[in-house]
Amino acid sequence: MSQGIVENLINELMRLPGIGRKTAQRLCFFILSMPEEDARDIAKAIIELKEKARFCQVCFNIAEDDECEICRDKKRDSKKICVVEEPSNLAVIERTGYRGLYHVLLGALSPLDGITPERLKIGELIERVKDNNNNVEEVIIATNPNTKGEVTARYIGGILKPLGLRVTRIAYGLPIGGDIEFADEVTMAKAMEGRREL
Amino acid sequence: MRFKTEGIVLRAFNYGEADLIVTYLTADRGIIKGFAKSPRKIKSRFGSSLEPFTHARVSFWGKEHSNLPKIVQSDIIQPFSHVREDINDFLRLSHIIELLLSLYPEGISNKKIFYLFLQCLSYLEQAAAQIFCAEVDKNALYLLFKIRLIAILGYAPMLKQCGRCGQRGLFYPSEGAVLCVRCAPIGARPMQTSKAAVSFYEHGLTWPLSNLMRVKPSADIVGELIALLDEHLRHVLGKELKTAGFNIR
Ligand SMILES: [Zn+2]
Ligand SMILES: [Zn+2]
């Protein structure tokens, strides 16, 4: 019987990304040794997240209400919108000190997977930018630096640029702490293209 | 077992947190898939070498006949980065790749397909980087590429004459052939074919892509054949391709 419930939790934990049997076992026995109250808090937090999380109706970030905390924050610079692929991309940009708003596309263009522009939140972005009440002056496209992300960025850029606002793309380059010797020619060429005055 | 081969990246899809499953078109093993550990991490040693259309020398590690060997090393031969950054080229090649993945089973070597693909990429890259002196019509290039590809794969329809009796006739996509009035099934809908289009097509079945430097088919011919082949392939595949959802200019 006890074998059953332990094994059950291990199997459930293994469904999470990056968690193999060993880690799942460690987590399971750790939870077993926790005060019941703490373990309950974890379970409750998971349930609450699943019950309350939805997409912000403005930027498609994860929200508890119709609008996410960032969109509701009137102190933020509403003239800038940073476009990302997934809600999980926001956290790292937030840590840079960026104080503008966001727009989450919920994916990137991918013809072989049938992900067309209509399947992404691109139309919503365009509406948002066109709406004069929003006063958007710059759209920063921070999709991933890979083929799908780049194609998505160019597609959006092609639509937004004629509207007469500033459309920028985050820089390509070498990772900090890396060694030029190990860069491939495409990454290096991009870094050369994006060079600037010292 | 470790093996090395030369391949073109056809597609890559995310697997787990930071891993990728990459589909290659190789010269000596046909279409194969490989698994790459953590290439999506910013400091990955794979760099950009697993991006679509990259021509690379790749080392795999796995059991003999493993259907998902591990990619242990990948060195770029030609990145073809201009091609994938052009939205139109990216969409059109994605369409051809979907076709290839639908019609060409994994693990069967075919050097012709590999070198045809590589040559098409080279022309597109030269055109994108504007070092192609002679103007090449991309629509014609994609058309010829498609004709050659389906000819090699054995799906090219015969357009010259009735497939049953040799008389003149019309093309019936549902039958995959030209049929005369007498041989055509009742109720099937034919497509008109012009003499010039049929002639270009018949030559195209065996032409090298480089012939487009001197032969320039008219936009009408290209348009007619693109529509005809799309209809033909819709019947061959029995389904709509995912890439058909894109408006390809
Ligand atoms: Zn929001
Ligand atoms: Zn006949």
Side-chain angles (χ1 to χ4, degrees):
Chain A
M1 185 69 194
S2 69
Q3 194 61 29
I5 49 175
V6 167
E7 192 60 24
N8 189 23
L9 180 60
I10 291 173
N11 285 332
E12 292 302 323
L13 290 170
M14 277 168 65
R15 287 156 64 150
L16 300 171
I19 299 204
R21 173 157 286 276
K22 271 231 171 84
T23 313
Q25 253 165 24
R26 241 178 53 223
L27 290 172
C28 176
F29 286 104
F30 185 78
I31 293 169
L32 203 58
S33 69
M34 271 173 135
E36 187 174 336
E37 204 41 44
D38 292 2
R40 229 176 251 288
D41 285 346
I42 294 177
K44 220 169 74 191
I46 293 175
I47 292 166
E48 209 168 64
L49 177 75
K50 289 311 288 179
E51 279 175 356
K52 293 189 178 160
R54 50 181 142 152
F55 291 119
C56 168
Q57 291 309 295
V58 178
C59 75
F60 301 95
N61 179 19
I62 304 293
E64 273 183 56
D65 302 294
D66 283 348
E67 279 189 33
C68 72
E69 276 176 49
I70 293 174
C71 286
R72 275 193 320 223
D73 184 351
K74 296 295 163 230
K75 281 188 296 231
R76 296 194 70 116
D77 179 2
S78 62
K79 293 188 179 74
K80 290 193 181 75
I81 294 181
C82 178
V83 179
V84 296
E85 291 181 20
E86 301 293 345
S88 57
N89 300 151
L90 257 72
V92 65
I93 299 174
E94 279 294 281
R95 274 187 267 139
T96 66
Y98 170 76
R99 296 293 293 158
L101 300 177
Y102 292 94
H103 192 89
V104 186
L105 297 171
L106 300 178
L109 292 177
S110 180
L112 284 169
D113 303 304
I115 311 287
T116 58
E118 296 73 37
R119 299 264 305 264
L120 303 173
K121 301 297 176 193
I122 293 178
E124 288 83 350
L125 170 67
I126 295 161
E127 287 312 308
R128 226 180 131 185
V129 170
K130 275 185 176 167
D131 188 340
N132 286 331
N133 297 324
N134 290 337
N135 264 320
V136 181
E137 287 176 3
E138 179 178 1
V139 173
I140 304 159
I141 306 183
T143 48
N144 284 327
N146 55 31
T147 304
K148 289 172 193 169
E150 187 59 23
V151 167
T152 308
R154 287 180 185 227
Y155 178 83
I156 294 172
I159 299 173
L160 292 184
K161 273 215 165 143
L163 301 179
L165 71 158
R166 192 162 178 233
V167 183
T168 54
R169 175 85 171 111
I170 50 165
Y172 275 109
L174 303 170
I176 306 288
D179 211 301
I180 281 185
E181 201 184 319
F182 299 109
D184 66 74
E185 59 259 54
V186 179
T187 309
M188 196 60 217
K190 287 286 178 192
M192 286 294 276
E193 264 173 51
R195 72 186 184 277
R196 50 180 195 180
E197 297 294 333
L198 264 179
Chain B
M1 186 196 76
R2 194 184 167 112
F3 63 94
K4 226 178 190 177
T5 184
E6 209 180 286
I8 300 165
V9 177
L10 295 183
R11 73 183 300 191
F13 52 85
N14 293 354
Y15 184 80
E17 241 177 328
D19 305 337
L20 275 185
I21 292 177
V22 185
T23 308
Y24 287 99
L25 172 64
T26 65
D28 55 351
R29 290 168 183 256
I31 291 177
I32 58 170
K33 284 200 187 91
F35 170 81
K37 192 82 195 141
S38 304
R40 284 153 63 210
K41 293 197 174 154
I42 291 278
K43 284 188 191 173
S44 157
R45 70 205 150 88
F46 288 111
S48 69
S49 72
L50 305 178
E51 290 299 311
F53 317 148
T54 303
H55 176 207
R57 195 163 287 112
V58 196
S59 295
F60 295 88
W61 175 259
K63 289 199 188 98
E64 185 78 40
H65 306 303
S66 154
N67 51 15
L68 201 61
K70 195 170 171 189
I71 300 166
V72 285
Q73 202 182 334
S74 157
D75 297 310
I76 298 174
I77 299 171
Q78 284 160 288
F80 295 122
S81 51
H82 290 95
V83 183
R84 63 172 174 258
E85 283 176 11
D86 182 303
I87 295 184
N88 267 309
D89 284 330
F90 178 69
L91 290 178
R92 292 166 92 161
L93 281 171
S94 295
H95 170 71
I96 294 209
I97 287 170
E98 192 179 8
L99 206 60
L100 192 62
L101 293 172
S102 310
L103 298 175
Y104 181 34
E106 277 180 36
I108 297 165
S109 158
N110 190 323
K111 285 206 160 51
K112 274 189 188 163
I113 293 178
F114 179 79
Y115 288 108
L116 182 69
F117 208 111
L118 198 57
Q119 194 182 25
C120 187
L121 281 174
S122 301
Y123 282 147
L124 290 170
E125 182 71 11
Q126 287 171 34
Q130 288 163 352
I131 47 173
F132 212 2
C133 13
E135 277 272 308
V136 116
D137 173 7
K138 275 195 193 172
N139 291 328
L141 180 63
Y142 278 108
L143 172 65
L144 185 56
F145 183 25
K146 210 165 175 176
I147 293 174
R148 287 287 316 278
L149 203 61
I150 59 174
I152 296 170
L153 290 167
Y155 290 98
M158 193 170 82
L159 296 185
K160 218 172 176 175
Q161 61 212 22
C162 174
R164 301 211 176 116
C165 72
Q167 295 286 307
R168 292 190 46 168
L170 299 168
F171 180 67
Y172 288 83
S174 58
E175 312 300 310
V178 163
L179 295 169
C180 71
V181 200
R182 250 187 287 162
C183 298
I186 301 160
R189 245 187 281 163
M191 287 178 91
Q192 236 9 292
T193 51
S194 70
K195 233 180 170 171
V198 172
S199 162
F200 178 81
Y201 172 82
E202 292 290 330
H203 284 108
L205 292 170
T206 54
W207 266 356
L209 298 180
S210 59
N211 275 19
L212 290 176
M213 303 282 237
R214 45 181 191 81
V215 184
K216 315 269 177 210
S218 73
D220 285 348
I221 291 178
V222 173
E224 184 186 329
L225 285 172
I226 288 174
L228 187 145
L229 291 179
D230 277 352
E231 200 51 39
H232 169 64
L233 289 167
R234 198 170 293 137
H235 279 277
V236 168
L237 295 164
K239 63 169 185 190
E240 199 73 52
L241 290 176
K242 283 182 177 152
T243 44
F246 282 82
N247 283 323
I248 300 174
R249 274 166 290 149

